[in-house]
Amino acid sequence: MQNYLQELNEAQQEAVKFIDGPSLIIAGAGSGKTRVLTYKIVHLIQTGFNPNSILALTFTNKAAREMQERMKTLVDVDSVRKLWMGTFHSIFAKILRKESSVLGFPSTFSIYDADDSKKEINEIVKELKLDPAQYPANQVFGRISMAKNNLILPPSYETNIDIQKQDMVAKQPENAKIYKMYYQRCRRAGAMDFDDLLLNTNILFRDFPEIAEKYQKLFKFILVDEYQDTNYSQYLIIKKLSAFHRKICVVGDDSQSIYSFRGAKIENILNFKNDFSEYELFKLEQNYRSTQHIVNAANSLIEKNKNRIPKIVFTDNEAGSKIQIKELPSDRKESYFVAKNIVKTKRENEYSFFDFAILYRTNAQSRVFEDALRKSSIPYKIFGSISFYQRSEIKDIVAYLRLLINKRDDQAVKRIINYPRRGIGNTTIQKIVDVANSNNLNVWDVLIQIEKLNKLLNNRAITTVRSFVSLIELLTKEAQELDAIGLVNSVIEKTGIKKLMSEDRSPEGVGKFDNVQEFINAVQEFSEKDDENVTIENFLEEIALATDQDSDKENTDRVSLMTIHASKGLEYKNVYIVGVEEGLFPSFRSITSPKDIEEERRLFYVAITRSEKELYICHAKQRMKWGQYNTSSPSRFISEIDPKFVEFEIDEDYSEQMFDINQDYNKFALKNNSSSQLTPKIFVDKPKNLKSVDKHLKNGKKNLKDKDDNSGLAVGMKVNHAKFGDGEIIQIEGDDPNTKALVDFAGVGQKNLLLKFAKLTIIE
C-alpha cells in the first residue's frame, strides 16, 4: 500500500481507492474531507490517469491552493500544474475564454463584480425614469441572479407568469425590462458577471454539442467539493460533463447545506443516487476537530432534521468542556461578556487572539461587539467587510487595466475617464453615454470619434477627451510590450495616480497610498509564480474571482467576527455563537416554513462545529431594535441540544432576575410565541435521585451533585467551582430548587450562582 494511503483511516481509504464509477462521499464536519479529496486526486494520478483529464471543482481559490500544495509533496509539480483544478467560476471562465467566439464574446471579456453590475442597473433605472427607491439595485440584481441561476433568459423571464406575479407583489413590474437591458449592455460591453460564467457555460454546452462532447471526453474523472452548495446551473454543467465517462466523485455534507438564498439546492446531494443509480456511498464520520461534547451536541441537534442522509459523527478526541449556555440581560451586556471572557480565556490558556471567533446570524449584530472589543483593546477582523480589491483606489487602477484589454468595458471607461480629475465633467460624460446608448455603441466607440460630437460638446471638452483617448492608446501599446508588473507601474505613473496619492498627506490619503503599494506587491508576487499564466489578463481574472477567505491572512493575531454563513470551512479553538434567539436565529422569515427551519438548524450545526475546544452559546433577554429595547426569547435550537452536553452559567448579571431552566425558561418562550410548534419543551430530562445528598468525601472534598438539596452549604464555607476555582460563600438566599449563593472567588471576583447547576464542592 502506498504511503499516502497509510495516512488515512479505513473509511477514508475506501473512499479514496474507489475510482471505477460514480461515488458520493458524505463527509461530516471535521472529518478530513479536504485530505480525502486531495489524496483521491493523487491516487488517480498514481493509477495512470493523465492529470490533464482530471477536473476538480472547489468553491474557493483558497481550497484549491491548499489542495495543490498538499499534492506537490506527493506527486511531481508538473502533474499538479496540468490538473483542471479551481473554483467553478475560474474553471468555466477558462473554458469560456477558449470558446468565447461562438457566443459572440471576446476572449478578453471582462468579469463584472457585484459593484459593476449594480452601477449598470442603477444607470438603467435612471434611464427608464424609474424610482430608485422602488427599484434598489441590490434587489433587482438579486432577481436577475435568481433568473440566471435557473437558466431563465430575459424573454422567458418576461413571459413567466409566476415571476411576473412575484414582481408585481414586490411593486417592481419593470424588472423584466431592466433585466433585458442589463443583459444586452453586458453583451455589448464584452462583459460577464459571476452568474453569466455559469449561464453561458450551460448555453455553450447546449447550443454547441460538439464543444460539449470535446470536454466530456477530455474530463475522464470529475471531482466536486461541497456538492451540497451547488445550484441548479452548476448541477446541470456537472451532469452534462460527466455523462460520457460517468466517473464522478462528489463530496459534501447535507447537514451543512446553508446557501439556499444563493440558489444552492440540497436536493442535488440528496438525489445524487437518482442521477447515478450505480453509485457507491461512503461516509466519513470521524471528527478530528472538536471535543466529544461538541460533536455529540451537534449530533443531537441535527438529528431533528427529517430531510437528511443519516450518519453518526464521532470523535476520539478528549471529552472537553460542556457547551456553555449564557443568558445576558441585553445585547450590550452580551457583547461585554464575550469581550471579558476572551481576555480571561486567552490569559488562562495562553491562546492567541486568532484562536477566537464570534459568530452571528446577521452582519448588523457586529456593531455592539466591535464597540466592546475596542473598549477592551482587543484587535479584531470582520470577515465580509470590504475586501482589499474592492477598495476604491484599487478598483480605479483595475479599471484602467480592464480597459486596456477590453475596450468594450463601459463600466471601466466611465469609472476612470475623469480619474484623476482631468476636466471631463459629469455633464460631458452623460452626453457621451447617451449617444452610445441611443446608437447601441460602446462608450469607447464614441470616444475615439469624439470630434463628431462638436454640436454637443465644446472644444475644451473634445480636446480633453482626445487627450484621454491618446493616453489609453499609449498604455494599450505598452500592454502588448511590458510584463504585468511593468504595465501596472506605467499605468500608475502615466495616469497621474502616483502623483495624486503622494501629494495627499491626510491619514486617509496615506492609507490609500499604502494600499496602492500593496497592490503593486500583489502583482509582483503573481508575476513570480512558476506558471505560464502570468499575464495581466490572468491576474485580473484571479482577483475578480477572489473571495474573502481567499484574501484572508490567517497569521494576523485578531479575533474573527463573521456571520455563520461566512464561517463555513473555518475552525477556531474558541467560538461564541451570539444572538441565539427566536426571530433572529432562526430568522423570523423562516419560522413559518419547515423547510426553512431545517436550513436554519443546519446553519446552527455549522456554527457549533466550527469550535475545537470551547463553545459558548449566548442569547439576550432584551435586544435593541429601532432605538428601543424589545424582549427576546431563547432560540428553540438551544432546547434541541441534549442537555447532558451543556451547562447553564449564572453570574452577577442575573442577580435581579433568576429563572428555572426546566420551568420558567419554557414559560418565557411560550409567552413570546403563540404557536407551541415554535417552543418545544426545554430540558425535560432531569437527573434522578434529586433528594439524596452525597455524604461521601473524595480527596478531602464534599461533592454536592444534588441540585435540589443544598443543606450542606452555609455562609463562610470554602467551596470549589470547576470553572472559577476556590472561593468563599458570602450570602445564600431563596428556596430549593432556586437557591442562590453569592461566592467570592479568588482572582475572579463575586459570582451569583444558581446552586442547582453550580456543582460546588466544599473544601474541608
Side-chain angles (χ1 to χ4, degrees), residues 197-222:
L197 296 175
L198 304 177
L199 173 65
N200 288 329
T201 301
N202 272 294
I203 292 173
L204 177 70
F205 291 159
R206 182 198 66 188
D207 295 350
F208 302 92
E210 69 282 2
I211 293 177
E213 184 180 357
K214 177 174 73 172
Y215 289 101
Q216 286 173 334
K217 291 181 176 179
L218 171 62
F219 300 133
K220 295 181 179 178
F221 205 103
I222 298 173

Side-chain angles (χ1 to χ4, degrees), residues 17 61 77 245 282 379 391 401 409 478 692 709 716 730 764:
K17 289 190 293 184
N61 292 304
V77 174
H245 293 288
F282 300 92
R391 292 169 183 167
L401 298 174
D409 191 336
E478 290 188 350
S692 65
D709 188 347
I730 299 175
E764 296 296 322

